[in-house]
């Protein structure tokens, strides 16, 4: 693995999951792997779980970690080629990224989409410029369209919680949920990309009209506007809001109530409830579900460490 920007960089997903689960059993077994190597974690947007879990993972491998809150503490970056920088931006990515490449052996970058310009966001203009100019392996800590460390974690968590029934494949439902703010499609895109690449689940997406995701990520997974039908016999329900891809970045009013409750979940196979967090309680998911025995969100967030450690281990193994 040279970079880790999406499921396409994961190589053999099954092996990566296996590695993460082995690491979970013995987190400090490879403390010399990252000795003498430095990881930079650069945040252009807020984070709690990604920042801390990746830092812990790197330290478990003996790496030195430096976190740089670029949006708060750094010069504002310019990403446009040929820009006349007489406005608010102070440093071009072409100048900054090669320097980061000198300071670090691996770099992680968090950069959210604008939700204004779909073409630029879906071309992953920002993270690819870091890749182009920094010259060292880049790990996505969530970019404009995907969140691969989250999705690897999600698949690991599903594998750990597979139901003991006779199904050959668990039924996994990704359901849209309400929110008060327009959110990126990243987590939903990424979850769809990883679930379809993993190929070990019956995967269904439920969302209101106007909220279909880019088919590039859903890879032929069935999409329905009928949440209740989708939930039927589900083993895992992944809850997430996203803004419209079609009317890019917009919140479109929806007719039905998409907030889950216990009654709606009664048709599932006692489904486990997942969410990437942070979650807006009683807007996106109700207290009664978040605080129920079916919720595996804390376990899921805990697994972020093992996903990050598996990815870092793979990249470190490839460094000279
Ligand atoms: N799920 C997730 O990425 O959490 P943070 O935004 O806190 O990193």
């Amino acid at each position: 693995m040279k970079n880790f920007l999406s499921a396409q960089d994961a190589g053999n997903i099954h092996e990566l999951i296996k590695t993460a689960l082995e690491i979970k059993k013995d987190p400090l077994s490879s403390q010399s792997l990252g000795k003498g190597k430095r990881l930079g974690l650069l945040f252009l947007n807020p984070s709690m779980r990604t920042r801390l879990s990746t830092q812990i993972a790197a330290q478990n491998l003996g790496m030195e970690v430096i976190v740089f809150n670029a949006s708060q503490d750094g010069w504002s970056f310019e990403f446009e080629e040929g820009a006349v920088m007489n406005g608010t931006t102070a440093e071009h990515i072409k100048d900054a990224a090669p320097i980061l490449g000198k300071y670090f052996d691996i770099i992680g970058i968090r950069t959210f989409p604008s939700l204004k310009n779909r073409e630029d966001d879906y071309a992953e203009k920002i993270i690819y410029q870091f890749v182009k100019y920094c010259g060292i392996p880049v790990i996505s800590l969530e970019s404009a369209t995907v969140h691969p460390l989250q999705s690897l974690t999600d698949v690991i968590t599903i594998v750990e919680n597979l139901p003991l029934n006779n199904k050959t494949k668990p039924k996994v439902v990704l359901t849209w949920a309400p929110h008060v703010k327009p959110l990126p499609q990243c987590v939903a895109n990424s979850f769809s990309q990883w679930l379809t690449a993993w190929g070990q689940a019956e995967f269904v997406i439920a969302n209101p009209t106007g909220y279909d995701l880019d088919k590039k990520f859903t890879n032929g997974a069935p999409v329905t506007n009928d949440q209740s039908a989708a939930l039927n016999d589900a083993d895992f329900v992944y809850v997430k809001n996203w803004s419209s891809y079609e009317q890019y970045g917009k919140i479109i009013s929806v007719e039905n109530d998409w907030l889950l409750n216990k009654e709606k979940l009664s048709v599932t196979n006692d489904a486990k409830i997942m969410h990437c967090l942070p979650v807006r309680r009683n807007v996106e998911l109700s207290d009664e579900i978040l605080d129920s025995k079916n919720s595996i969100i804390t376990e899921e967030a805990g697994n972020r460490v093992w996903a990050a450690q598996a990815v870092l281990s793979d990249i470190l193994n490839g460094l000279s």
Side-chain angles (χ1 to χ4, degrees):
M1 200 187 296
K2 170 81 169 85
N3 300 304
F4 185 71
L5 306 177
S6 79
Q8 283 149 3
D9 296 316
N12 186 327
I13 288 179
H14 307 282
E15 283 300 318
L16 200 55
I17 295 166
K18 202 169 135 208
T19 302
L21 290 172
E22 278 164 8
I23 288 169
K24 184 172 181 175
K25 281 190 217 143
D26 191 2
L28 302 180
S29 60
S30 300
Q31 275 191 302
S32 56
L33 183 61
K35 201 167 178 316
K37 303 287 185 204
R38 192 176 296 128
L39 173 69
L41 297 177
L42 190 145
F43 288 87
L44 295 166
N45 300 96
S47 166
M48 181 177 90
R49 281 145 290 266
T50 308
R51 173 192 313 237
L52 296 176
S53 60
T54 309
Q55 194 163 353
I56 293 164
Q59 287 171 347
N60 284 348
L61 293 166
M63 296 187 84
E64 183 190 351
V65 189
I66 294 178
V67 177
F68 179 39
N69 296 313
S71 58
Q72 288 170 29
D73 304 332
W75 303 106
S76 55
F77 290 133
E78 175 62 58
F79 293 94
E80 286 304 320
E81 185 66 39
V84 178
M85 291 171 55
N86 58 1
T88 53
T89 55
E91 177 154 37
H92 203 286
I93 190 66
K94 287 166 87 167
D95 301 314
I99 297 162
L100 299 171
K102 296 271 181 229
Y103 294 163
F104 301 114
D105 299 286
I106 302 173
I107 192 162
I109 313 242
R110 168 163 283 203
T111 170
F112 286 170
S114 67
L115 290 183
K116 293 189 178 92
N117 184 327
R118 187 169 86 175
E119 200 181 323
D120 281 1
D121 288 347
Y122 272 67
E124 289 284 9
K125 224 172 155 179
I126 294 184
I127 203 157
Y128 283 140
Q129 287 197 65
F130 277 101
V131 172
K132 183 174 175 187
Y133 294 119
C134 75
I136 55 172
V138 175
I139 296 176
S140 167
L141 305 175
E142 187 170 353
S143 66
T145 64
V146 284
H147 194 353
L149 284 176
Q150 178 68 52
S151 307
L152 172 57
T153 303
D154 297 334
V155 181
I156 291 165
T157 308
I158 289 171
V159 169
E160 280 188 311
N161 284 279
L162 284 173
L164 299 170
N165 60 25
N166 293 326
K167 283 185 193 168
T168 49
K169 290 182 173 185
K171 182 173 180 184
V172 180
V173 178
L174 167 64
T175 181
W176 185 90
H179 206 282
V180 289
K181 280 177 64 183
L183 297 190
Q185 297 94 34
C186 309
V187 170
N189 281 342
S190 199
F191 187 72
S192 305
Q193 184 186 55
W194 280 76
L195 257 286
T196 50
W198 180 51
Q200 301 299 305
E202 179 197 345
F203 178 50
V204 178
I205 303 168
N207 58 253
T209 305
Y211 283 94
D212 283 3
L213 297 165
D214 183 353
K215 290 187 170 49
K216 180 172 97 180
F217 296 100
T218 57
N219 287 320
V223 181
T224 176
N225 301 138
D226 186 340
Q227 188 187 42
S228 166
L231 291 173
N232 194 38
D233 206 27
D235 298 295
F236 296 89
V237 179
Y238 198 98
V239 183
K240 186 72 186 87
N241 170 268
W242 59 91
S243 60
S244 176
Y245 170 74
E246 293 159 34
Q247 294 181 50
Y248 191 60
K250 299 275 182 300
I251 295 180
I252 305 166
S253 61
V254 299
E255 278 177 19
N256 298 323
D257 181 8
W258 280 74
L259 181 65
L260 284 184
N261 55 32
K262 279 203 167 169
E263 193 190 332
K264 286 189 192 177
L265 289 177
S266 64
V267 299
T268 69
N269 181 31
D270 201 22
K272 305 284 187 202
I273 307 300
M274 302 178 71
H275 189 286
C276 63
L277 300 174
V279 63
R280 293 221 180 196
R281 279 181 174 250
N282 302 311
V283 173
E284 205 179 353
L285 254 175
S286 60
D287 282 341
E288 70 169 356
I289 294 178
L290 283 166
D291 298 332
S292 74
K293 67 169 180 47
N294 292 59
S295 169
I296 54 170
I297 57 169
T298 307
E299 179 185 339
E300 184 184 356
N303 281 339
R304 293 293 307 269
V305 175
W306 322 122
Q309 202 165 324
V311 169
L312 281 168
S313 299
D314 193 302
I315 293 176
L316 284 167
N317 277 323
L319 294 180
S320 51

